[in-house]
Amino acid sequence: MRPRIKVLTLAVNDLERSLAFYRDGLGLPTKGIIGEEFEDGAVVFFHMGDELILALYPAPSLSKDAKISVTKAPLGAVSIGHIVNSKDEVDTIMKQATDAGAVVTDLASDRFWGGYSGYFHDPDGHLWEIAWNPQWTVED
């Protein structure tokens, strides 16, 4: 298998609520909900740069598509890391997420590995880390 992850799909309980959180709250660009003309086809795509797509898909539709039972995955089993270019940018995004309704699980702070980051849950409990690493530069 070649290392080529293109889409990260998050199962959500309320597609409209999650769309509002990511589009209106965090400012991610999207065309909104598409595929509503298909049974179990409604989905939202966000182009995240570097060819990565973040998809929001209703949990019942995803479970049906994957032929698995709808489940409440343990929170914190996976975290999504969003890397930025400064501590100030971490703070700005953490505030933006909080204002949009995110639940902060750990305030942004200096980390033992030399960087600076904070964590929050989105409306469905998906864990995000907003991080600055002094060894990485991110292109906008």
Side-chain angles (χ1 to χ4, degrees), residues 48-106:
M48 303 296 288
D50 295 330
E51 299 185 14
L52 179 66
I53 297 168
L54 175 66
L56 306 178
Y57 201 32
S61 299
L62 181 58
S63 67
K64 184 177 179 182
D65 196 45
K67 295 182 179 40
I68 61 171
S69 298
V70 176
T71 182
K72 294 282 186 190
L75 298 179
V78 173
S79 73
I80 303 163
H82 180 73
I83 307 300
V84 297
N85 285 319
S86 69
K87 289 182 176 185
D88 287 341
E89 198 172 351
V90 170
D91 291 336
T92 297
I93 293 172
M94 290 295 292
K95 180 177 182 337
Q96 193 175 10
T98 301
D99 291 348
V103 175
V104 173
T105 64
D106 190 22

Side-chain angles (χ1 to χ4, degrees), residues 80-139:
I80 303 163
H82 180 73
I83 307 300
V84 297
N85 285 319
S86 69
K87 289 182 176 185
D88 287 341
E89 198 172 351
V90 170
D91 291 336
T92 297
I93 293 172
M94 290 295 292
K95 180 177 182 337
Q96 193 175 10
T98 301
D99 291 348
V103 175
V104 173
T105 64
D106 190 22
L107 294 172
S109 63
D110 292 314
R111 301 296 172 168
F112 72 91
W113 44 267
Y116 181 82
S117 73
Y119 287 89
F120 66 83
H121 281 148
D122 76 358
D124 289 283
H126 299 291
L127 183 63
W128 283 80
E129 178 185 22
I130 309 301
W132 167 74
N133 185 326
Q135 298 177 18
W136 296 344
T137 301
V138 182
E139 293 182 30

